[in-house]
């Protein structure tokens, strides 16, 4: 009698049950939903859930289901119109206390959702719909920012070392410091020298006196440019997380480009506005000794100060009066702290005054600098300078300084009196509620290290994604039907075994994709069809081996045993070579190429299991227990 171990039966049954369980969430599809998170970064709780549901009930909108997931509240609706209406009602009824993101969530039952490991497959942009951006990073801008920081550090270092100096100027990748005494040249060189050797220090004599010049090495320039790209990628990922977008893709492309894919985003305008903005802060002391209006009119800015303008005040409706004049203000040139030293920022309402505020936390270096600056200036004013960079369309005016298509705007959003000594934690007031919310979001997610512009933008609507899914599954369905028909006709009873194994193979592949949350794209569906063909090929090799054994005069049971044993080496060889190709595609490919490689690799593993172990178990269960078997339906 043909022998087959009992434990292998249990292995096949266990794998099939688990694969079916993990694949089951994909049966229910997805529905339009809203994901809500609090702007103050506090996790959503049942009280917040009841508040939102009460606001929706007042507008006679009832979600199909609502539940808390991690720190967010998820609301699922029947259709897109109800979803959009609910978003507007929540934004209006909660005074913008929540960040609302349009998305889609699975319609699977509640018990399945509570089993957190059960999730549907993660669909790519071409199947789920969404937006695709390609950003080009201005790496020269990153170098300019590094030189500006180098200039500020040079002033601070020389002042701490009590080395007299005159003008400090920057040009390209170098900073020149003019000294007042030639005898201080060596002391200045030693003070400004970088411990890591990233700066080349030179000195000489010019018309305006002796000077020391710091110039970044080529290796340092390249390192700073690479760091700028990586920081921009990290910042974009943080901002995507703040928007509540699930399964985003943020990756580097070429030397200075970043690809951002946001599956499931139905309204890209909010994402474009938040992702494309470059926002940071500077804290400076107000120059109380000079008149800002006089400096504006005469164009003579006092030494050690800079001229800024206050942000216009908005009315009750949030609009700025067209005839409102800009108010000039003089600020000290020395920066107390910058947005790069921020560790946290969140917006909330001041319970005593009833006005919005942004609570800010600085790192140790920024906190120490703030402490040193404020302990000697209590009773004086400190200003908060808001710096934003954005890309302008052709013909669009720039209120600040325009460099190519990039507009840099600097304005003072607050100039409050220092009531007490400040340190790492303090607050920014004088903002409207929407301004406070957006400022906190941008600062919390980090400042971009360099300006970036959108060079490619592509949107894929949910309907187009659904059409891609339908076409892909139709192609797979036609391929499977033709394959099933061929196997059933050509191999008779054994052909139906192969068909059952193919169906199990498809279920296991979907289950693995769901369990690993690997992104499935349109090329991934092609990979499913491709690996099903490989699985069929494995069964054909086994069945042809069995036929050869039967033609050689062996008994049916001996032919079955020899067919599986002798075909295994050929099947393993062909699958291993294809597996190597899949690994190489995954290692060197990007985007949808990786999706194809992942699905193909997982499919090869499942086809090996189902074709060799699963098929053998079925054959043994049907024919292996018949010792006097005379013929085989093959």
């Amino acid at each position: 009698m043909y022998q087959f171990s009992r434990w292998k039966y249990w292995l096949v049954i266990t794998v099939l049950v688990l694969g079916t369980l993990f694949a089951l969430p994909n049966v229910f599809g997805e529905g339009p939903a809203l994901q809500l998170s609090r702007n103050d970064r506090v996790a959503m709780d049942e009280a917040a859930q009841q508040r939102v549901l009460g606001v929706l009930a007042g507008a006679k909108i009832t979600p199909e289901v609502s539940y808390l997931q991690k720190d967010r509240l998820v609301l699922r609706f029947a259709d897109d119109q109800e979803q959009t209406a609910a978003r507007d009602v929540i934004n209006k009824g909660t005074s913008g206390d929540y960040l609302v993101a349009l998305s889609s969530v699975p319609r699977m039952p509640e018990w399945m959702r509570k089993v957190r490991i059960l999730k549907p497959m993660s669909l790519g942009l071409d199947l789920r719909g969404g937006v695709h951006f390609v950003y080009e990073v201005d790496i020269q801008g990153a170098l300019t920012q590094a030189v500006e920081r180098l200039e500020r550090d040079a002033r601070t270092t020389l002042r701490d070392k009590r080395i007299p100096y005159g003008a400090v100027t920057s040009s390209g990748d170098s900073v020149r410091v003019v000294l007042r005494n030639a005898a201080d040249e060596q002391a200045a060189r030693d003070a400004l020298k970088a411990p890591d050797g990233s700066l080349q220090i030179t000195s000489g004599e010019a018309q305006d006196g002796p000077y020391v010049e710091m110039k970044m090495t080529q290796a340092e320039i390249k390192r700073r440019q690479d760091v700028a790209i990586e920081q921009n990628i990290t910042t974009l990922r943080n901002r995507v997380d703040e928007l509540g977008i699930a399964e985003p893709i943020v990756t580097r492309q070429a030397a200075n480009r970043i690809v951002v894919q946001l599956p499931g985003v139905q309204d890209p305008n909010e994402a474009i506005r938040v992702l494309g903005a470059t926002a940071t802060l500077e804290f400076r002391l107000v120059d109380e000794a000079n008149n800002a209006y006089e400096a504006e009119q005469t164009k003579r800015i006092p030494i050690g100060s800079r001229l800024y303008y206050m942000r216009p005040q908005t009315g009750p409706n949030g609009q700025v009066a067209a005839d409102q004049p800009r108010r000039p203000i003089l600020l000290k040139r020395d920066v107390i702290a910058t947005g790069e030293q921020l560790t946290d920022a969140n917006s909330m309402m001041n319970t005593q005054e009833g006005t919005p505020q942004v609570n800010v936390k600085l790192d140790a270096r920024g906190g120490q600098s703030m402490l040193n600056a404020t302990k000697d200036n209590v009773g004086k004013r400190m200003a908060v300078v808001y710096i934003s960079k954005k890309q302008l369309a052709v013909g669009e005016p720039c209120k600040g300084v325009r460099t190519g298509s990039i507009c840099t705007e600097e304005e003072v959003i607050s100039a409050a009196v220092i009531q007490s000594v400040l340190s790492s934690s303090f607050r920014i007031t004088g903002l409207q509620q929407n301004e406070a919310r957006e400022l906190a979001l941008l600062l919390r997610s980090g400042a971009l290290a360099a300006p970036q512009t959108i060079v490619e933008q592509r949107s894929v609507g949910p309907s187009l994604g659904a059409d891609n899914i339908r076409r892909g599954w139709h192609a797979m369905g036609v391929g499977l039907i033709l394959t099933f028909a061929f196997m059933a006709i050509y191999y008779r009873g054994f052909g139906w075994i192969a068909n059952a194994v193919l169906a199990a193979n498809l279920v296991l592949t979907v289950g693995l994709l769901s369990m690993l949350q690997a992104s499935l794209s349109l090329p991934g569906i092609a990979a499913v069809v491709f690996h099903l063909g490989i699985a069929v090929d494995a069964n054909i090799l086994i069945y042809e081996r069995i036929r050869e054994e039967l033609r050689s005069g062996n008994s049916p049971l001996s032919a079955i045993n020899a067919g599986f044993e002798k075909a295994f080496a050929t099947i393993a060889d062909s699958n291993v070579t294809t597996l190597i190709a899949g690994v190489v595609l995954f290692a060197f490919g990007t985007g949808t190429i990786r999706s194809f490689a992942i699905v193909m690799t997982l499919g090869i593993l499942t086809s090996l299991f189902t074709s060799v172990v699963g098929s053998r178990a079925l054959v043994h269960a049907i024919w292996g227990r018949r010792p006097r078997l005379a013929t085989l339906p093959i």
Side-chain angles (χ1 to χ4, degrees):
M1 184 169 64
Y2 175 61
Q3 297 297 323
F4 192 78
S5 302
R6 186 179 296 273
W7 69 268
K8 293 182 180 179
Y9 277 122
W10 286 109
L11 175 64
V12 171
I13 293 173
T14 302
V15 170
L16 286 177
V17 169
L18 290 177
T20 303
L21 188 62
F22 277 104
L24 197 59
N26 297 280
V27 175
F28 302 97
E30 292 187 334
L34 297 178
Q35 292 192 27
L36 282 71
S37 58
R38 291 178 54 155
N39 285 303
D40 55 8
R41 301 188 75 182
V42 177
M44 298 287 284
D45 53 16
E46 292 186 3
Q49 181 179 6
Q50 294 303 318
R51 179 191 177 190
V52 172
L53 292 177
V55 171
L56 292 177
K60 298 182 179 179
I61 299 177
T62 304
E64 289 184 338
V65 65
S66 66
Y67 55 90
L68 297 171
Q69 186 177 55
K70 295 183 179 179
D71 60 343
R72 294 187 173 96
L73 171 63
V74 179
L75 306 172
R76 196 184 72 217
F77 300 91
D79 51 45
D80 296 338
Q81 290 78 13
E82 196 174 56
Q83 175 200 39
T84 306
R87 178 194 60 180
D88 298 337
V89 168
I90 292 173
N91 282 332
K92 184 177 180 180
T94 61
S95 302
D97 292 340
Y98 305 106
L99 186 64
V100 184
L102 296 173
S103 65
S104 55
V105 296
R107 294 185 181 272
M108 55 188 184
E110 183 178 358
W111 70 267
M112 192 175 294
R113 190 180 66 250
K114 290 183 177 179
V115 183
R116 299 186 182 277
I117 60 174
L118 297 182
K119 299 178 181 179
M121 287 185 296
S122 173
L123 299 182
L125 191 68
D126 50 358
L127 299 182
R128 194 178 183 185
V131 291
H132 170 96
F133 303 118
V134 177
Y135 287 98
E136 186 171 271
V137 180
D138 180 13
I139 53 179
Q140 185 60 39
L143 181 60
T144 301
Q145 291 181 4
V147 172
E148 290 177 354
R149 287 195 295 270
L150 191 61
E151 180 182 346
R152 291 197 300 266
D153 292 343
R155 295 175 185 274
T156 303
T157 301
L158 293 176
R159 189 164 52 246
D160 293 342
K161 297 290 184 179
R162 300 184 182 278
I163 300 175
Y165 65 91
V168 180
T169 58
S170 59
S171 175
D173 56 356
S174 63
V175 174
R176 174 176 290 193
V177 180
V178 178
L179 301 175
R180 294 182 179 176
N181 301 316
D184 294 328
E185 178 184 315
Q186 188 58 45
R189 289 174 63 102
D190 294 339
L192 298 175
K193 182 174 62 175
D196 57 359
S198 60
L199 296 176
Q200 294 177 347
I201 308 295
T202 59
S203 57
E205 189 79 23
Q207 292 181 351
D208 48 358
Y211 69 86
V212 173
E213 187 173 74
M214 299 177 293
K215 185 176 182 179
M216 287 188 287
T217 63
Q218 290 300 315
E220 178 65 10
I221 292 174
K222 183 179 184 304
R223 187 190 71 82
R224 287 184 178 272
Q225 291 174 343
D226 290 339
V227 167
I229 296 286
E230 294 301 322
Q231 183 177 332
N232 275 27
I233 290 176
T234 302
T235 300
L236 288 174
R237 285 175 179 158
N238 292 337
R239 292 183 180 181
V240 168
D241 291 341
E242 292 288 345
L243 288 173
I245 298 171
E247 294 126 23
I249 296 175
V250 183
T251 184
R252 183 173 182 174
Q253 184 184 75
N256 62 337
R257 292 193 172 187
I258 301 174
V259 175
V260 179
Q261 293 185 356
L262 307 177
V265 173
Q266 300 170 24
D267 181 10
N269 294 329
E270 178 73 8
I272 293 173
R273 183 175 62 83
V274 173
L275 295 180
T278 304
T280 188
L281 293 180
E282 288 182 351
F283 300 92
R284 299 172 183 262
L285 290 173
V286 178
D287 183 358
E288 308 279 7
N290 297 284
N291 190 302
Y293 288 96
E294 181 180 343
E296 180 189 32
Q297 293 173 0
T298 61
K299 306 298 181 184
R300 294 179 181 177
I301 311 301
I303 297 176
S305 298
R306 288 185 60 181
L307 182 65
Y308 289 88
Y309 291 92
M310 295 291 297
R311 171 177 287 183
Q313 296 181 351
T314 56
N317 58 354
Q319 300 296 320
V320 179
D323 57 348
Q324 184 175 353
R326 297 198 306 168
R327 292 189 298 137
I329 183 173
L330 284 172
L331 304 183
K332 296 290 187 180
R333 185 175 292 272
D334 293 336
V335 179
I336 301 173
T338 67
E340 297 174 1
Q341 297 165 332
L342 265 77
T343 59
D344 193 15
N346 60 77
S347 63
M348 62 181 297
M349 294 296 293
N350 188 317
T351 55
Q352 295 179 349
E353 300 176 3
T355 57
Q357 67 181 35
V358 176
N359 294 329
V360 176
K361 290 184 179 180
L362 299 176
D363 60 15
R365 181 183 174 188
Q368 183 63 43
S369 179
M370 183 65 67
L371 177 65
N372 295 336
T374 56
K375 69 181 181 181
D376 298 328
N377 292 282
V378 174
K380 298 181 181 179
R381 289 190 299 165
M382 182 177 68
V384 182
V385 183
Y386 180 75
I387 305 171
S388 64
K389 294 184 179 181
K390 58 183 179 180
Q391 183 181 11
L392 298 181
V394 178
E396 185 178 355
C398 175
K399 297 179 180 178
V401 178
R402 184 165 188 160
T403 306
S405 61
I406 303 297
C407 179
T408 302
E409 298 180 1
E410 298 182 344
E411 56 184 353
V412 177
I413 60 176
S414 174
V417 176
I418 301 173
Q419 303 289 348
S420 60
V421 177
L422 304 178
S423 183
S424 297
S425 300
F426 53 95
R427 63 184 181 178
I428 301 173
T429 58
L431 304 172
Q432 294 295 323
Q433 188 164 0
N434 59 333
E435 294 173 338
R437 184 172 63 251
E438 181 178 342
L439 177 62
L441 189 154
L442 291 174
L443 295 178
R444 189 165 61 237
S445 59
L448 293 172
Q452 59 186 23
T453 57
I454 297 178
V455 295
E456 181 185 344
Q457 177 184 337
R458 186 169 67 250
S459 296
V460 179
S463 58
L464 180 59
D467 186 58
N468 286 338
I469 295 176
R470 185 169 57 254
R471 288 172 181 266
W473 290 116
H474 283 175
M476 184 185 300
V478 171
L480 283 176
I481 290 173
L482 293 176
T483 302
F484 285 176
F486 169 78
M487 296 299 291
I489 294 172
Y490 195 73
Y491 290 106
R492 300 173 59 194
F494 275 69
W496 287 108
I497 296 289
N499 292 340
V501 167
L502 276 181
N505 191 1
L506 180 61
V507 171
L508 290 180
T509 302
V510 173
L512 273 176
L513 289 172
S514 301
M515 181 178 68
L516 300 176
Q517 284 297 287
S519 181
L520 179 68
S521 62
L522 200 56
I525 295 179
V528 173
V529 180
F530 175 76
H531 96 260
L532 288 178
I534 295 177
V536 171
D537 183 58
N539 283 280
I540 290 175
L541 287 173
I542 294 171
Y543 297 165
E544 289 300 325
R545 277 289 188 177
I546 294 176
R547 279 180 164 181
E548 288 181 5
E549 296 296 326
L550 290 174
R551 284 194 291 267
S552 298
N554 292 329
S555 66
L557 294 183
S558 297
I560 291 173
N561 187 44
F564 276 100
E565 294 292 341
K566 294 181 179 181
F568 178 76
T570 305
I571 295 172
D573 287 345
S574 62
N575 280 274
V576 166
T577 53
T578 310
L579 188 65
I580 292 173
V583 172
V584 171
L585 281 176
F586 178 81
F588 295 100
T590 58
T592 55
I593 301 299
R594 278 195 162 193
S595 175
F596 180 91
I598 291 172
V599 176
M600 184 176 72
T601 302
L602 294 178
I604 289 171
L605 297 177
T606 56
S607 66
L608 272 172
F609 177 80
T610 55
S611 300
V612 177
V613 182
S615 178
R616 198 167 189 173
L618 275 177
V619 170
H620 176 261
I622 297 174
W623 292 289
R625 299 179 180 275
R626 302 179 188 180
R628 298 183 180 181
L629 185 65
T631 59
L632 289 175
I634 195 173

